Amino acid sequence: MKKLLIILILVLNLFCIISIPVLQAKTDFYENEYPYETYTVDYEGNLTFTQTAYTPVGVLNRDVSLFNPEDIYIKDDLVYIADTGNSRIVVMDYNGNLVRLVGEDELSQPTGVFVSEDDYLYVADKLNKLVYKYDLSGNLIRVFDRPTEPLFGQNSPFTPLKVVVGSGENIYIVGDGSSSGVIQLNYDGSFLGYFGVNLSDKSLIERIAEIFVRPGVYASNIPPSPTNITINNKSLVYTSTPNTTSALKKLDVNGNNILTTINYNEEQNIVDLSVDDLGYVYAIYDDGLIVEYDPNGNLLFAFDVVSSSSNVLGLVQTPSGIQIDEYHNIFVIDKGKSEIVTYQPSVFTNLVHEAVNLYNQGSYEESTILFESILSQNDNFALAHSSLGKAYYQSGDYDLALEEYYKASDIDGYSTTFWKVRDIWLSNNLGTVFSLILIFFFFTYVIKLVNKKTLILSPVNQKIEKLKQHPNYRRFSLLFFMMKHPIDACYEIKHEKRSGLITASVLIVVLFIEYLLYLRFTGFIFTGAEIQIRLGVEIFKYFSIIFLFIFANYLIATLSDGEGFLKDVYISVAYSLAPIIILLPFYILLSNVLTLNESIILQILSLVMIIYSLVLVFISIKEVHNYEIIQTIKNLLMTIFTMLIIALLIFIIYVFGSQLIDFLKSFFKEVLFRVFN
Amino acid sequence: MFSIRLIKRATFIFTLLIVLSITFVLVKAQDDYVINDELPNRDNILDETYLASNQFTQEDDLTIVNNYLSIPSTYLKIAENSNYILYMEETSYAIRVLNKNDNFIYGSSLSTMDDNLDNFNTTWEGIVNSAVTIKYFDYNDDTGIFTTKEESLLKDPNSSSTYQLINQGYKASLHFGESNISLTLSVYLDDEYLVVDIENDSIEEKGIYKLRSIKVFPFLGTVYANSIPGYIMVPDGSGALIRYQDIGIHNEIYEFRYYGQDNSIQTALEYEAKLAFPVSGMIQGINQHGFISIIEDGAAHASLVVSPAKNNLKYYYSYNEFDYRSLYQTPLSESDSANRTGRLVIEDDINGCDLVMKYKFLSGNQANYVGMANAYRDYLINELNVEEKINEENVKVLIDIIGSETKEGFIFDEYLQMTRINEVQSIIKDLLESDINPLTVYKGYSSKGLTSMGMVTNGISSKLGSNQDIEDLLSYVDENNVDLFFQIDPLSVYEDAKFSLYSNATKRINQNFLIDQGFTKTKYYIEPNSVEQALLSSIENLEKNGLTNYALDSIGYFLFSHYPDVNSSIDRSKVISIYKNLLDSLNKKIIIYQANDYLLKYTNEYLLTPMNSSRYRIYSDTVPFVPYVLQGLMDKYSPYQNFNSASRVELLKMVDYAIAPTYLLTWASAYELQATELQQIYSSSYNTWKERIKSDYDFIYEGLNVVRSASVVSRTYLSAGIYEINYDNGVKLIINYTNRTYDYLGINVEALNYKVVSDDA
């Protein structure tokens, strides 16, 4: 009991953390002089700092006052703004001069604006539930209202929020509450169908629960509807949907998503998106984060233009729209301030775009020079690394390619290149290796023959025999014996004391060391980036599980007529880890020479190791405690249960303890405060 | 004459040469992707928007402004000197000043005889017209809450006052009736200045109320909306102007704390504007009338308050408010600490600072931000003893070289060697060969790396070089006349550095330690009395290696009070005296990073000169006020160019503001620093930067060299993005930020370029 108490107190002390109040980070001089940081993606897939990609230019509508604008479109150096609060479309030039106003008579709440290739201006009006088509002089051509085709659905709403028009004058409308997807109309207003429906997002638990409850009780079956739409010059439609996992989609003609992007801001919703002719996608979230993806879906830059002190040029209060032009200038609608804030790309950004464009065209060599230049300006730019990797691969510089793929943590690329490298090595060296192996076998055979005749090796053999008698050898060989004859091995442990506590502890420590080596030296292809190993954490994880298991098992065993002493359980469990102890080094070695194509080998190896060990543990427990099979199963289940209970107990003590400490601290602070006042 | 064979051979060789050189050029062109040689994508049709934003200086409206104030009959003439006549009104002690140089009248109040009088409510009328307005704390025993109340001199009928005339002014004893607080105000002329003075000893709290803050003449220079052209100058970053606009265009009042907020008392802000000089200004008629207001004493406790013309008060005004007591939060539990809540309490004693402000009235072509800069520079030279320190060599670039940094490792920390001693020498050598003499600072040279260095800097780590290497470097820089400084940071330490938390760290008013959250670790600040030990011991260690030039970091721009225990405090102004005494007694060659005004006299160069303002929307312009203050006094160096994309606009600004570029360099790649506290640095390797340094230098060289010891006479907006800068040595610079060539009197100034036009050419 006393020992238990000591252990518990020690564990409790381990958990005590002294907290320090934390202030916000201050500005320091390793920063740029803009009110936001810019990020790109590093080799770990995390956001990392980079040069300012887009710098604030100024407010576009200095001379024209808007009211709660909600959409913007740019074509042929003219800026079209859905000036929602003023119920009109404002057309201005790049200098902010008013060119014309459109739709003042008929529009009520224009929330979407678009200019088609053939120069017609389309406006989505939410309140009027109509889509208007004007020519560029502002004359109304026609009005599109709710489709009457039965395919559209009797109860489906028609509340146009945004509109884009593709080639052949196909009109795509994003409507409020149109859960079936994007509404597609023909140039004459006839309904063509729904497009790009979103899947309903339900968690696993909800799905299971639904088996037992009638449908509709849990969050409705209706999937969220896309709230934004944009179109590229090839008439491929991009949409964004709030509250879903795949928020950004690029739809092919069948409405399937063909662009996978990683969402770095999952908690927030995309407010608007814009795409240029080459396929660069820009999106702005409602928390102010602007992201730019390249045509392949890689994140290039991200920066946040909303901040608590938003009264600064370059920051925005309530972003409601984003649009880019052919020069990669970004136009952001600030609905709160009724302003259009503009940003321009920096020299670095232009360089990145040029490099990506060359790469996408297949001009790998030319792109290499640019990517190297990008990397010299920011070595963390992972996209540059993996693009360089591919470029080097293409040009046969496999070693350089490996280096770049490693820096980009691009396992696929690394694996493919490594295969090539290995291939080359093998073809160069296989001959030598085979010859060496043949020679070795030949040599051994010859020695054996000679030994048979002349007994040359007998002194050596005698020494070996003597060694075999040494107790340490017996202890060591028990390891292999355990693997082949576990039942007998356990008998020898229990009754013949074939091994002792020390050896068993040594084995556990050896396995731990191997585990650390595994963490550190497993081939890059199978682990990913360099893992930071925190020694303390690993020690805790490993030893606590093992000792907890042994201890819990013994506890349960004593309660259920198990015969084994704690010592026996300890030793036999330690030896049950034999398969892992013996095979793990091979695993580590193999992982450094195999590629993804051969990953099945490693998977089998690890399965063998683990399952074999588990089986051995099972047998050990059975033999040590002299159980039947059913009893062993019961014992093991109870052991696991006990482990959980003990862990829970420790956790409760920690929580309670830290609350107590917290309370005491605040008590003293209050006392001190009262005393001195 | 020439045989056929000879001609054939010659032609052949000639063609060969041509082909070779073409190939060479093509190949070379492909290899060297020199980014900065290309103009940025500036066929940018957003130019007009860009140049009209508050990132640039806008056009001045030079409409003539005549007097809109007069001297009412109720005002007495108190004093006169060669520059000004001072008038005072007996009940409110409001003043009017006539500037004899242009006969323009400035007033601290508004009377019924003035133009553009708005109707105020009584409270505001009291504040506008009283010479002094105070704020005080009223404590409610039942709720335990402190309320702040404002009282102008004219508010309470029980207020009383007496005054006497003193040399060139008056001295008034004021008693505020509502709060029962009294103080003595002195106002007098002193040559070019109007001095306002409240001595700390004169402040008495005769009742139960506690003084919070004082403001004197808050409405001096106030302007009714946009009735006249002019602006308020705020020294935010490089400097910003708030031009007068119509009522309601802007509606926020801004409060800027000089030297940044005191984070030992207040909770740190996510972002705050940085004011390094306690000076501000107002113009009432551009190039005609205006004044600057300099805080001589009390700046550490003062804020600059600026207001636009709003619907409830249609005047632009700006004033300094001096805090005597702070309201701060003291957390009583862990959750309070985490959520930054807690009980609000006030300090027991008022801080012991005197309040001294000096106004200098400007006229003619001095009445603009350039004139303000020159006037403030005169003040620095005469009153703060800042000396002119420009030597006659060519303009330099500043390179900050990081020697090493530690990175948390597997079991032990890894020591990353970023730049060894001999590599420092190689960098300097390479730059010298391109005719660039770099002002060099070497930091992170100890065995702990840059950020884990403790309170006391050890000497140079032997891993970075042997003693012989150090000797070689020192004699090399000596021979070649290169200024090499070794960085010491006597103020900031990270948690993994060697220092004693309880004896050496600054404590906040609520007895927690003052900290800052870095990327990977927490940063503490050395308390004022230990700074001396930190600095002197560091110097001692460095001298053992023969290093005698020091660059002091942090101490120039961080200023925090220290509360060693609940009963004692070292407030910011005392900390300033401690720093000054320390540097006074130090007879070494030192430079200081971004020095606030009180440390300017100890540094020979100005490092990390700001080149932008905070771009608050109320600003109409960004102007080079701070750079022009220092112009001709000492060389100025920019913030680290590593964090700017190679932008021609930035380079032009350097010429415009007369600031030389600064680079953060290492020999190894910045990739190594990824997992360290320096992870924000994404590019610093010399190999990458040397081309850029050389081409940047080529660009700015001429523009900076010709004006080094001259001061700016005027900076004129010729058209959007075109500025003409005149220096007092006859040199004229034309800066073109647009992407079209500009014709200046027949001289072509190329797009995104500048031209030096010398009068004596």
Side-chain angles (χ1 to χ4, degrees), chain B residues 194-205:
Chain B
L194 169 73
V195 185
V196 171
D197 182 343
I198 296 182
E199 268 175 51
N200 200 281
D201 297 334
S202 72
I203 302 177
E204 283 177 60
E205 293 158 318

Side-chain angles (χ1 to χ4, degrees), chain B residues 370-391:
Chain B
V370 175
M372 290 182 191
N374 290 331
Y376 187 63
R377 186 180 53 251
D378 287 339
Y379 175 82
L380 288 175
I381 295 174
N382 296 326
E383 310 290 331
L384 289 193
N385 299 322
V386 181
E387 290 159 9
E388 293 188 15
K389 288 162 191 140
I390 310 252
N391 55 37

